[in-house]
Amino acid sequence: MVGEKLSSYLFILPALAMVVIFLLIPAGYTVVVSFTKWDGLGIPKFIGFGNYLQFVRDHVFLTSLRNTVIWVIFTLAFSVLLGLLVAYFVNRIRLANLFKSLFYIPLTISAVTTGLIWLWMYSPDLGVANTLLRLLGFPGRSWLSEVPLNTYAMIWAWTWKTVGMNMVIFLIGLQTIPTEPVEACKIDGATEWQTFRYVVFPMLRTITTVVVAMSLINSFNIFDIIYVMTDGGPYRSSETLAVSMFRESFVLFHMGYGAAIAIFLSVVVLFVSWIYVREVTKREVHY
């Protein structure tokens, strides 16, 4: 009996060691660095909470924080909502597999390639977006230079990439819903919207929790597509916290300040995710 328990611990030991080596130790090291002023080469100088106090005086950090909040709100509004709507309607039509494939294709493309594709789409002279505007009689826009238009333009590119993933997850949930409650609701005279609102959507609560939590975490950590499309510019106006963290650490070599942004971002992501999951899971669903 003791031997069986010991062998169980031995099986999880490699995974536990990887968590400690590649997650806990780097996280602890980042916390220590965040209390220092360090250029990555010399001897770190301990400055206490100086890097964290600098947040309120740094307008770039405040702009990055505002952009991160915008990314989170609009990612949830566009990517999650569109994923749900597309899944609901694709699940009920002919040629469903064709539409699933079309919406899923962008997910197979890397974020860097997605950024390059939309960089061309938003090109001032030959881009598809400005070409369509001119055909409709409107002047072209500098999609990636105008503030805050550049942020919303990149959010739409990110939505194009991620809506397929959300659609697939919602489809999995829709295909597990029993048909009896839906058919009974329709026999009782419920409209399409009432059926969705009071029967289908409550049954998707668990799936919705997963999709929203994943979208929250991904939108807080958004980095690559912004770095490719605008490099955080112009004049650092489209940076998010993840981009600012990278620039401060590995471009400006403010390692301590960059580490402080990383810790701040991690704490915010953990706190918001914990609040959301706790509030959703403690509610009971009554059919």
Side-chain angles (χ1 to χ4, degrees):
M1 191 67 180
V2 176
E4 291 181 359
K5 288 185 177 180
L6 183 61
S7 63
S8 300
Y9 285 110
L10 288 177
F11 277 116
I12 66 171
L13 190 59
L16 182 63
M18 292 182 67
V19 170
V20 172
I21 294 172
F22 295 109
L23 179 62
L24 297 183
I25 292 178
Y29 180 73
T30 304
V31 171
V32 173
V33 172
S34 72
F35 292 110
T36 67
K37 184 177 181 180
W38 186 35
D39 61 3
L41 294 174
I43 299 174
K45 180 183 177 183
F46 180 76
I47 58 172
F49 288 94
N51 288 323
Y52 294 94
L53 295 176
Q54 189 178 337
F55 288 164
V56 295
R57 302 190 299 269
D58 185 358
H59 72 278
V60 173
F61 173 84
L62 296 176
T63 300
S64 300
L65 180 60
R66 182 200 64 191
N67 288 338
T68 302
V69 173
I70 291 174
W71 269 91
V72 171
I73 293 173
F74 282 91
T75 296
L76 294 180
F78 290 161
S79 182
V80 176
L81 187 59
L82 280 177
L84 174 60
L85 292 177
V86 170
Y88 184 70
F89 288 107
V90 164
N91 195 41
R92 305 151 49 88
I93 62 175
R94 294 181 178 179
L95 301 176
N97 289 333
L98 173 62
F99 286 99
K100 291 176 190 175
S101 301
L102 290 176
F103 282 103
Y104 194 76
I105 286 174
L107 185 62
T108 64
I109 302 173
S110 70
V112 173
T113 306
T114 300
L116 292 174
I117 291 172
W118 282 89
L119 203 58
W120 176 76
M121 296 280 282
Y122 290 135
S123 172
D125 298 323
L126 302 176
V128 174
N130 276 349
T131 301
L132 291 175
L133 281 180
R134 292 187 186 109
L135 287 175
L136 295 173
F138 296 102
R141 304 292 298 271
S142 298
W143 295 94
L144 301 178
S145 300
E146 296 180 26
V147 181
L149 179 62
N150 50 5
T151 294
Y152 296 113
M154 289 187 290
I155 289 173
W156 183 249
W158 181 249
T159 300
W160 176 81
K161 174 176 173 54
T162 57
V163 70
M165 180 181 68
N166 295 335
M167 176 201 69
V168 170
I169 299 175
F170 278 122
L171 274 173
I172 295 171
L174 286 169
Q175 290 169 0
T176 62
I177 294 177
T179 58
E180 291 82 1
V182 178
E183 292 174 354
C185 189
K186 291 180 177 177
I187 291 172
D188 289 340
T191 63
E192 194 69 33
W193 165 249
Q194 289 171 329
T195 304
F196 176 79
R197 169 68 180 82
Y198 297 107
V199 178
V200 176
F201 188 67
M203 290 184 177
L204 288 173
R205 178 179 296 276
T206 304
I207 292 294
T208 305
T209 302
V210 173
V211 173
V212 172
M214 289 174 56
S215 298
L216 270 174
I217 295 171
N218 290 334
S219 55
F220 270 114
N221 295 324
I222 190 74
F223 170 79
D224 34 21
I225 197 169
I226 297 174
Y227 205 74
V228 170
M229 293 184 72
T230 66
D231 194 19
Y235 46 87
R236 305 186 70 177
S237 61
S238 60
E239 286 188 5
T240 59
L241 289 175
V243 177
S244 294
M245 174 191 66
F246 177 84
R247 187 180 302 282
E248 293 290 346
S249 299
F250 304 110
V251 178
L252 302 176
F253 296 102
H254 301 155
M255 305 298 285
Y257 192 54
I261 296 176
I263 297 301
F264 175 82
L265 180 60
S266 300
V267 170
V268 170
V269 172
L270 289 173
F271 180 73
V272 172
S273 301
W274 173 69
I275 291 291
Y276 172 72
V277 173
R278 189 194 66 173
E279 290 299 317
V280 170
T281 53
K282 75 179 182 181
R283 298 174 189 168
E284 295 183 358
V285 181
H286 302 282
Y287 302 111

